[in-house]
Amino acid sequence: MTVTSEATTAWKGGLVDGSGEVTFVSSGLGTFDVNWKARSEGSTSVTTPEELIAAAHSSCFSMALSGALAENGTPPESIDTTASVTFKPGTGITGSHLNVNAVVPGLEPADFERIAQGAKAGCPVSQALAGIEITLEATLA
């Protein structure tokens, strides 16, 4: 079975002086403001395409890591992942850094690092982001 997820954006105005709203259509979870100022200067109240990508990357990687750890016979108690996606105006998206902390009983740090690196490579969002550098910092808690 395939699943298609949808979001829409309604934009008004030019790039620099305009603004828009992105709506999660498939889940109906909400509508969020977007604009160039937030994207190029940062914001704590307006989202950006990079924040949305970071949400997708952190959740996808956590799922991939959970599955890989279970396949290894060492299912996790918990996984906390932060994805930091970097945008440089004039250049574009330059990278995504995954920082993961996990509680996995009975697993050695070297094995965790190996499994986490495999999950990073196998994560469908990582594969979709193959044109940028993806780094990983993996720690057993």
Side-chain angles (χ1 to χ4, degrees):
M1 176 174 107
T2 60
V3 175
T4 301
S5 297
E6 292 184 350
T8 62
T9 298
W11 186 269
K12 292 187 172 126
L15 173 62
V16 176
D17 64 344
S19 63
E21 293 181 331
V22 60
T23 300
F24 296 148
V25 175
S26 298
S27 65
L29 287 177
T31 298
F32 304 91
D33 293 333
V34 293
N35 63 42
W36 175 254
K37 182 175 172 136
R39 190 173 194 189
S40 61
E41 298 175 18
S43 174
T44 59
S45 61
V46 177
T47 195
T48 64
E50 291 71 33
E51 184 177 35
L52 299 171
I53 290 170
H57 203 189
S58 66
S59 60
C60 182
F61 172 79
S62 293
M63 290 182 209
L65 181 57
S66 178
L69 289 166
E71 285 178 16
N72 187 63
T74 53
E77 284 184 10
S78 65
I79 297 172
D80 294 306
T81 304
T82 299
S84 303
V85 175
T86 305
F87 174 78
K88 181 177 181 181
T91 301
I93 297 171
T94 59
S96 182
H97 178 71
L98 296 167
N99 187 335
V100 61
N101 292 290
V103 176
V104 186
L107 188 64
E108 295 296 319
D111 292 327
F112 179 66
E113 176 70 27
R114 176 183 50 77
I115 293 167
Q117 289 290 345
K120 179 187 88 164
C123 164
V125 173
S126 290
Q127 293 172 359
L129 298 174
I132 64 169
E133 180 180 23
I134 300 172
T135 55
L136 173 65
E137 187 176 343
T139 307
L140 276 175

